[in-house]
């Protein structure tokens, strides 16, 4: 009978995908195919009362299992006589070959005999090296369970344990994926969809509008006083207010809209089938709904709101342009004290000033006035600086330094980014030549923009520079943002694969802010994820952000990727990250970006310290 139960049990394990269903099916198989009088699975409850619950049973037990309400696996009287608790305590099987004559069974003997049960055996269920409960079988003959039978039943219990751990593993993986997907598409603090999500969503809406020949409006909501509000009321109340606002906005005009948080004090919503009239009605209604003051825990808030509106197809046909123009309109409205404004053609942001900056940048590149600073990446296990990131700076002729956030986007817009990246690569590779000669080994990571990934010349230029300067490819690494990867995944994939094949490590930058699909990450030879600074900042205030960082780390480890946290600004953050098993960290607390000589000295100090 044990053999029958074992082989039928194996089939059951393969077929069940849910834990309770598996336990039920297993008990049934043992009774129906194995011919045991009764079978049950009990789990230990891991709390201070050390209770035991019967999770599944089969066979006619005449209410026996229901009557077992106060069994414990504690080492006391109630726990002593039970085979189940003995199994849980010791992780060893426990067999009573003759119920009638077993002295330890006094509490239960009569109840068992009344049901015609004469022998019983309990087997440990070991999941992740821990005994989680027992499988118990009853027979109606005494002196059952000889060694041969027990050996087979041990195997049956092992199989069941394995089945349970497979199911739990799968559930945990699904959960991690779910959390990571959510983190990648949401602003965690306000729990609203984020910029990445919105751009993708807007893209889909534009497609629909285009094929239906309908207009579409983008409503941009700017809250100029949100900073003040956070300062005055604190995080909790601030976030609460954001959620209330988002709720009102999504209900405005009797429609359910999805509001995304696209910046700290900026929100956006896409209004399908909306022309100028509909969009301004929604805006007015919403302004109206704000006249009812927002009441949070302790105070009434007077929120200023400025709306900006842009239209497809009138103001553009790409998500990026429509959102940007709606944003420009909102800020115009705020400046003029209006509650809403429609985009009015090119205003200062798409202005001559930017074109002028592009011209200056071109000149700066020719005159080689761009230079690199290097920021160390600290390996948390070895406590050494194993690599650095190159960050670009522009020294104007008057000596002022322009940060990359001011000119990299312009380079991206105007197409200058190709030459810019080539210049950065050249600077990094020349630097490596100098370091090689001085006996220093410190890989440099270079940031790539989206456009670089789709530049067919990049790989050849890179190879040429390596050859010219005699630098091994392993000394150059690349950082690529998720959103850049997702623009044209197939093309990006090809370049990443070639760079990786040369021996360059690839980091996914700003992880969590884009809209990557995890499936995509699995297929590419990345070395590490860089958790975006915004998560590190939020960890202190938001347990949810901590949980996300933690699960991103374990997900990455499951995919055999390393994890590096960026923007670490104090000891507490560093300690927490270390506890979470983060592999590397970067941030002002460790070191600011610095020049080549300083970064070598810094790395050296770490090595000898
Ligand atoms: P990123 O790749 O995320 O680089 C990290 C930025 O965060 C750097 O700003 C760095 O100085 C800053 N940072 C590092 N630790 C901390 C910290 O603890 N706290 C705070 N608040 N900030 C920290 P930076 O140098 O201004 O660069 C900004 C962005 O410009 C970079 O973001 C990157 O996207 C872009 N960038 C910089 N150099 C290049 C380049 O050579 N090529 C391209 N395509 N983009 C570049
Ligand atoms: Ca970077
Ligand atoms: Ca980054």
């Amino acid at each position: 009978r044990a053999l029958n139960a074992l082989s039928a049990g194996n089939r059951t394990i393969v077929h069940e995908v849910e834990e309770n269903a598996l336990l039920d099916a297993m008990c049934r198989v043992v009774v129906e195919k194995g011919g045991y009088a009764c079978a049950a699975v009990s789990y230990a409850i891991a709390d201070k009362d050390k209770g035991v619950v019967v999770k599944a049973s089969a066979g006619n037990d005449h209410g026996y299992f229901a009557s077992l309400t106060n069994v414990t696996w504690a080492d006391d009287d109630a726990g002593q006589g039970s085979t189940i608790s003995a199994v849980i305590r010791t992780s060893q099987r426990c067999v009573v070959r003759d119920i009638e004559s077993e002295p330890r069974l006094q509490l239960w003997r009569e109840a068992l005999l009344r049901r015609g049960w004469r022998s019983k055996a309990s087997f440990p269920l070991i999941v992740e090296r821990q005994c989680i409960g027992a499988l118990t079988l009853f027979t109606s003959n005494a002196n059952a369970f000889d060694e041969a039978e027990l050996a087979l039943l041990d195997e049956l219990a092992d199989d069941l344990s394995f089945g349970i751990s497979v199911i739990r593993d799968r559930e945990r993986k699904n959960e991690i994926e779910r959390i990571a997907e959510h983190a990648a598409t949401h602003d965690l603090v306000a729990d609203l969809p984020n910029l990445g999500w919105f751009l993708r969503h807007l893209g889909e809406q534009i497609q629909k509008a285009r094929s239906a020949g309908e207009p579409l409006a983008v409503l941009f909501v700017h809250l100029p006083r949100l900073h003040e509000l956070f300062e005055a009321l604190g995080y909790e109340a601030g976030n609460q207010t954001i959620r209330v606002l988002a709720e009102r906005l999504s209900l405005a005009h009797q429609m359910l809209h999805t509001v995304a948080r696209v910046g700290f004090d900026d929100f956006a919503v896409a209004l399908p089938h909306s022309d100028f009239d509909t969009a301004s009605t929604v805006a007015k209604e919403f302004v109206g709904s704000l006249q009812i003051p927002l009441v949070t825990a302790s105070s009434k808030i007077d929120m200023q709101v400025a709306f900006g509106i842009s239209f497809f197809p009138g103001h553009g046909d790409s998500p990026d342009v429509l959102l940007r123009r709606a944003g420009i309109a909102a800020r115009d409205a705020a400046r003029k004290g209006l509650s809403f404004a429609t985009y009015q053609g090119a205003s200062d942001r798409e202005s001559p000033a930017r074109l002028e900056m592009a011209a200056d940048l071109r000149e700066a590149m020719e005159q080689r006035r761009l230079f690199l600073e290097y920021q160390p990446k600290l390996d948390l296990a070895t406590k050494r600086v194993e690599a650095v990131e190159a960050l670009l700076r522009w020294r104007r002729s008057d000596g002022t330094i322009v940060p990359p956030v001011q000119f990299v986007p312009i380079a991206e817009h105007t197409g200058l980014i190709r030459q810019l990246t080539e210049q950065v690569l050249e600077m990094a590779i020349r630097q490596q030549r100098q370091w090689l000669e001085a006996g220093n080994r410190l890989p440099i990571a270079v940031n790539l923009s989206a456009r670089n990934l789709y530049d067919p010349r990049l790989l050849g230029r890179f190879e040429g520079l390596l050859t010219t300067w005699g630098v091994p490819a392993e000394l150059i690494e690349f950082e690529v943002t998720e959103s850049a990867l997702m623009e044209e995944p197939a093309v990006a994939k090809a370049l990443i694969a070639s760079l990786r094949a040369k021996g360059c490590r690839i980091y996914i930058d700003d992880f969590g802010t884009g809209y990557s699909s995890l499936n995509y990450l699995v297929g590419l030879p990345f070395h590490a994820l860089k958790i975006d600074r915004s998560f590190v900042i939020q960890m202190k205030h938001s347990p949810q952000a901590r949980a996300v960082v933690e699960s991103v780390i374990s997900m990455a480890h499951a995919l055999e990727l390393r994890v590096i946290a960026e923007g670490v600004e104090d000891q507490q953050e560093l300690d927490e990250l270390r506890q979470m098993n983060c592999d590397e960290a970067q941030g002002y607390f460790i070191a600011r970006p610095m020049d080549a000589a300083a970064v070598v000295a810094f790395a050296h100090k770490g090595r000898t310290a």
Side-chain angles (χ1 to χ4, degrees):
R1 71 188 161 198
L3 201 55
N4 287 340
L6 183 60
S7 66
N10 270 330
R11 285 193 295 277
T12 306
I13 286 163
V14 180
H15 283 116
E16 297 297 339
V17 294
E18 196 272 320
E19 186 166 329
N20 288 324
L22 171 65
L23 303 182
D24 279 335
M26 200 59 159
C27 290
R28 248 186 350 260
V29 154
V30 167
V31 170
E32 286 166 14
K33 303 281 193 249
Y36 289 89
C38 209
V41 173
S42 328
Y43 277 5
I45 303 173
D47 64 3
K48 66 176 191 346
D49 297 334
K50 302 193 168 181
V52 171
V53 276
V54 179
K55 296 282 288 180
S57 69
N60 201 344
D61 71 312
H62 301 282
Y64 177 69
F65 297 119
S67 73
L68 295 181
T69 47
N70 48 10
V71 179
T72 75
W73 52 283
D75 206 1
D76 59 12
D77 284 350
Q80 275 299 339
S82 152
T83 53
I84 295 170
S85 13
V87 167
I88 294 170
R89 276 197 310 275
T90 62
S91 301
Q92 303 284 333
R93 76 157 107 93
C94 178
V95 184
V96 178
R97 301 193 59 216
D98 187 0
I99 288 174
E100 201 159 9
S101 65
E102 170 61 54
R104 280 181 308 169
L105 271 185
Q106 57 191 13
L107 272 179
W108 288 285
R109 183 183 302 117
E110 206 195 316
L112 295 167
L113 292 175
R114 220 184 310 130
R115 288 167 173 85
W117 297 337
R118 303 295 301 278
S119 300
K120 67 176 198 145
S122 295
F123 302 85
L125 298 175
I126 313 279
V127 172
E128 284 168 0
R129 281 184 237 100
Q130 207 188 340
C131 182
I132 61 159
L135 168 68
T136 307
L137 310 185
F138 300 85
T139 67
S140 39
N141 56 316
N143 298 321
F145 302 119
D146 62 14
E147 278 310 315
E149 184 171 10
L150 285 174
L152 290 169
L153 293 174
D154 280 342
E155 209 177 309
L156 178 75
D158 286 350
D159 288 351
L160 178 57
S161 306
F162 175 72
I164 295 168
S165 53
V166 168
I167 288 173
R168 288 188 180 180
D169 254 16
R170 190 164 44 221
E171 273 165 7
R172 202 163 27 236
K173 284 212 187 88
N174 289 344
E175 176 64 8
I176 288 175
E177 280 225 7
R178 205 188 51 71
I179 294 180
E181 282 298 342
H182 186 81
T185 53
H186 283 73
D187 171 83
L188 294 168
V189 173
D191 203 25
L192 294 175
N194 63 14
L195 174 64
W197 179 90
F198 185 74
L199 289 173
R200 192 174 43 173
H201 166 74
L202 185 54
E204 286 161 8
Q205 297 297 327
I206 291 171
Q207 284 294 338
K208 282 190 195 153
R210 196 196 309 274
S211 45
E214 291 277 349
L216 172 143
V218 175
L219 200 59
F220 193 104
V221 191
H222 176 57
L223 305 175
R225 297 184 54 194
L226 195 62
H227 263 292
E228 260 172 69
L229 184 120
F230 267 74
E231 275 160 23
L233 300 184
Y235 264 78
E236 267 316 306
N239 290 323
Q240 172 70 17
T241 310
I242 289 178
R243 282 190 285 266
V244 173
L245 282 169
E247 217 165 277
R248 291 198 184 163
L249 190 55
S250 51
L251 292 173
H253 206 62
Q254 290 131 30
M255 278 193 269
L256 263 186
H257 307 292
T258 308
V259 180
R261 187 178 196 182
V262 297
F264 173 76
D265 41 15
D266 295 325
F267 303 81
V269 74
L271 304 175
H273 315 293
S274 293
D275 56 11
F276 182 81
D277 282 350
T278 347
S280 17
T281 311
V282 173
K284 278 181 204 147
E285 255 177 45
F286 184 68
V287 172
S289 88
L290 281 185
Q291 304 297 327
I292 315 160
L294 295 169
V295 181
T296 65
S298 54
S299 37
K300 289 184 173 184
I301 300 161
D302 171 33
M303 274 307 273
Q304 268 174 33
V305 193
F307 282 93
I309 309 176
S310 68
F311 295 99
F312 166 82
H315 296 138
D317 59 3
S318 81
D320 193 69
V321 169
L322 285 177
L323 181 66
R324 187 153 45 86
R325 296 191 159 171
I328 292 171
R331 289 193 158 68
D332 274 355
R335 242 190 330 271
K336 294 176 186 151
L338 303 171
S339 55
F340 75 94
T342 307
Y343 178 71
Q344 295 295 337
S347 60
D348 19 300
R349 264 153 228 257
E350 294 169 307
S351 64
R354 277 171 76 95
L355 294 177
E356 199 178 302
M357 191 166 199
D360 286 357
L361 177 60
R362 195 183 308 264
E363 192 182 270
M365 282 164 60
E366 276 158 18
Q367 299 174 354
R368 303 240 151 210
R369 271 192 272 109
L370 300 181
F371 65 98
L372 294 179
E373 285 194 324
Y374 303 90
Q375 189 179 31
K377 297 180 178 178
L378 184 72
D379 185 314
L380 295 181
T382 63
K383 300 196 171 153
R384 299 197 327 188
V385 176
E386 306 284 7
V388 298
E389 174 178 7
L391 294 160
L392 189 58
R393 274 91 185 93
W394 168 7
R395 186 180 287 111
R396 282 196 182 267
S397 41
D398 65 2
T400 52
I401 306 285
V402 190
V405 284
Q406 280 177 26
F407 64 87
V408 169
I410 290 177
E412 286 171 344
H413 250 83
T414 51
L416 274 178
I417 192 69
R418 288 185 180 180
Q419 284 140 278
L420 186 92
T421 302
E422 280 169 16
Q423 228 177 66
V424 171
L425 272 172
E426 183 180 345
M427 289 190 278
I429 289 169
R430 281 179 177 229
Q431 185 59 62
Q432 284 298 8
R433 180 75 238 161
Q434 282 185 24
W435 281 348
L436 277 177
E437 276 163 23
N440 295 315
R441 202 200 123 80
L442 204 52
I444 298 177
V446 168
N447 288 283
L448 292 183
S449 290
R451 282 238 197 153
N452 299 135
L453 290 178
Y454 311 112
D455 174 2
R457 280 192 330 183
L458 182 82
L459 190 64
R461 290 283 299 157
F462 176 51
E463 285 168 340
L465 285 165
L466 290 175
T467 313
T468 307
W469 296 97
V471 167
E474 305 87 75
L475 290 177
I476 301 295
E477 309 182 331
F478 292 93
E479 297 194 2
V480 187
T481 63
E482 292 171 272
S483 41
L485 288 168
M486 297 316 290
E487 279 182 25
E488 285 262 16
V491 185
K493 205 169 186 158
L495 179 68
I496 297 288
S498 327
L499 290 173
R500 183 71 199 113
K502 297 190 69 58
C504 305
R505 291 176 161 168
I506 317 282
Y507 291 72
I508 302 177
D509 208 349
D510 303 347
F511 184 77
T513 57
Y515 36 101
S516 66
S517 107
L518 286 168
N519 290 341
Y520 182 71
L521 297 187
V522 177
L524 280 172
F526 295 115
H527 171 65
L529 293 186
K530 289 188 89 170
I531 298 186
D532 190 61
R533 195 160 70 83
S534 59
F535 292 88
V536 176
I537 295 173
Q538 290 181 42
M539 277 198 324
K540 271 206 208 76
H541 303 289
S542 151
Q544 210 189 349
R546 293 198 69 227
V548 167
V549 171
E550 216 162 0
S551 53
V552 165
I553 291 175
S554 56
M555 175 202 68
H557 287 166
L559 298 175
E560 294 183 348
L561 292 173
R562 284 170 69 82
V563 181
I564 162 162
E566 59 180 16
V568 176
E569 290 192 354
D570 60 37
Q571 184 76 55
Q572 186 188 342
E573 288 167 355
L574 188 63
D575 290 344
E576 282 189 28
L577 289 161
R578 193 176 271 133
Q579 263 173 23
M580 293 178 183
N581 271 329
C582 187
D583 304 292
E584 291 171 48
Q586 199 181 350
Y588 292 172
F589 182 65
I590 296 152
R592 294 196 171 239
M594 51 186 113
D595 69 26
V599 87
V600 164
F602 184 87
H604 236 75
K605 200 175 65 193
R607 261 163 229 211
T608 48

